[in-house]
């Protein structure tokens, strides 16, 4: 039995609460069990220099963990004067994931920035961030269409993410910290609503894992993703 008493193919309780920031064009407080991430989507009427004059927009992300999001207080990266390699890698992953399902031409020359702030971490903060960021982005683009800022819907598909791993030689879905910290192997899956793969990050932590184990992990991810996509649709009203 897993430490959380869940079946191998069971997600943690997942909630996607919208409208939690009155100022942002889109916002979502996403919870995967005890992991909680606040995501806000902000419109900027400009694009990075490399896109100026090309008639298309950009979607980018920033990620950070609040000082007491873990068991001990961590220093703010701003106080240290630089971001860690982990932070940079995660925020690039979030940005790539959202751009994979966004029509940049439909945005015009404007940028949507997704800020993902981890309030509490219990494993899977990057996958929770991606799942919640799509909700915030969907709400922001719908606002832009309602206000007549853009004419066409730039959202091409849903995108969500979930972790899977081999824990005590059993493939399981949605690792919490207790499992993630001692798993033999773990993987993060980022998939679209149509079933396309955006990214898979898979690592043998304590041993290599077999192709059969990987395929089981992939099947678990697809099952979990179906539930996440349904929760996303409910959160944004279809």
């Amino acid at each position: 039995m897993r430490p959380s008493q869940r079946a191998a193919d069971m997600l943690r309780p997942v909630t996607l609460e919208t409208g939690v920031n009155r100022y942002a064009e889109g916002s979502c407080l996403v919870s995967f069990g005890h992991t909680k991430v606040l995501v806000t989507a902000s419109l900027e009427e400009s694009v990075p220099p490399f896109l100026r004059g090309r008639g298309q927009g950009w979607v980018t992300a920033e990620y950070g963990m609040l000082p007491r999001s873990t068991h001990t207080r961590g220093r703010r990266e701003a106080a240290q004067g630089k971001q860690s390699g982990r932070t940079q890698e995660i925020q690039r992953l979030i940005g790539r994931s959202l751009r994979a399902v966004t029509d940049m031409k439909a945005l015009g020359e404007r940028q949507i920035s997704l800020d993902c702030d981890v309030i509490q971490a219990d494993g899977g903060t990057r996958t929770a961030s991606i799942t919640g960021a799509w909700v915030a982005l969907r709400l922001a683009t719908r606002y832009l269409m309602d206000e007549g800022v853009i004419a066409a819907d730039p959202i091409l598909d849903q995108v969500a993410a979930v972790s899977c791993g081999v824990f005590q030689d059993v493939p399981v879905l949605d690792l919490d910290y207790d499992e993630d910290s001692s798993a033999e192997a773990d993987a993060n899956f980022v998939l679209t609503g149509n079933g396309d793969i955006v990214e898979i990050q898979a690592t043998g932590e304590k041993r290599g894992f077999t192709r059969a184990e990987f395929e089981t992990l992939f099947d678990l991810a697809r099952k979990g993703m179906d539930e996440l996509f349904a929760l996303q649709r409910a959160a944004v009203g279809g």
Side-chain angles (χ1 to χ4, degrees), residues 86-106:
R86 174 183 178 274
T87 294
Q88 294 180 56
E89 184 262 325
I90 291 175
Q91 63 190 26
R92 288 169 182 160
L93 170 65
I94 299 168
R96 287 195 302 273
S97 300
L98 274 295
R99 289 193 295 273
V101 294
T102 306
D103 180 353
M104 298 302 164
K105 290 287 187 182

Side-chain angles (χ1 to χ4, degrees), residues 144-188:
L144 296 179
M145 288 188 290
D146 290 344
E147 293 295 310
V149 177
I150 58 177
D153 188 354
I155 301 299
L156 304 172
D157 198 357
Q158 290 176 254
V159 68
V162 73
S163 65
C164 297
V166 180
F167 176 72
Q168 295 182 353
D169 293 322
V170 178
V172 295
L173 173 66
D174 190 20
L175 305 177
D176 56 25
Y177 178 77
D178 287 340
E179 294 171 327
D180 188 40
S181 61
S182 58
E184 294 94 78
D186 64 48
N188 298 307

Side-chain angles (χ1 to χ4, degrees), residues 186-223:
D186 64 48
N188 298 307
F189 294 86
V190 185
L191 306 177
T192 71
N194 288 328
D196 294 336
I197 298 168
V198 176
E199 191 152 340
I200 297 174
Q201 302 173 330
T203 307
E205 298 287 353
K206 294 184 177 179
R207 62 168 174 82
F209 54 97
T210 66
R211 178 172 177 174
E213 286 175 322
F214 174 77
E215 290 176 351
T216 300
L217 295 177
F218 200 177
D219 289 340
L220 287 170
R222 287 189 180 278
K223 178 182 182 299

Side-chain angles (χ1 to χ4, degrees), residues 3 9 15 38 68 72 86 103 107-108 111 116 136 144 148 210 224-225:
D9 64 348
T15 60
L38 174 63
R68 201 55 206 269
T72 58
R86 174 183 178 274
D103 180 353
L107 274 180
Q111 174 172 286
C116 305
L144 296 179
T210 66
M225 215 70 72

Side-chain angles (χ1 to χ4, degrees), residues 113-148:
S113 297
L114 295 154
D115 289 292
C116 305
D117 293 298
V118 179
I119 299 171
Q120 186 168 273
D122 186 38
T125 61
R126 74 185 66 194
T127 53
S129 294
I130 292 167
T131 303
W134 183 87
V135 172
L137 179 63
R138 169 73 282 182
L139 294 173
T141 55
R142 186 174 292 166
Y143 168 81
L144 296 179
M145 288 188 290
D146 290 344
E147 293 295 310

Side-chain angles (χ1 to χ4, degrees), residues 4-98:
S4 60
Q5 306 301 304
R6 287 179 288 148
D9 64 348
M10 185 180 295
L11 291 168
R12 290 173 285 179
V14 177
T15 60
L16 297 164
E17 182 183 354
T18 60
V20 294
N21 184 304
R22 66 183 298 180
Y23 305 113
E25 281 75 23
S27 62
C28 178
L29 176 61
V30 52
S31 301
F32 276 55
H34 295 302
T35 289
K36 300 180 184 297
V37 184
L38 174 63
V39 186
T40 54
S42 302
L43 173 68
E44 300 172 60
E45 290 290 343
S46 61
V47 291
F50 71 91
L51 285 175
R52 288 175 188 162
R54 297 177 58 180
Q56 67 179 75
W58 191 243
V59 174
T60 189
E62 292 190 13
Y63 166 96
M65 297 182 66
L66 297 185
R68 201 55 206 269
S69 59
T70 57
H71 294 89
T72 58
R73 184 184 186 277
R75 292 189 65 196
R76 295 181 190 272
E77 292 185 333
Q80 300 177 31
K82 65 177 182 179
Q83 290 181 316
S84 69
R86 174 183 178 274
T87 294
Q88 294 180 56
E89 184 262 325
I90 291 175
Q91 63 190 26
R92 288 169 182 160
L93 170 65
I94 299 168
R96 287 195 302 273
S97 300
L98 274 295

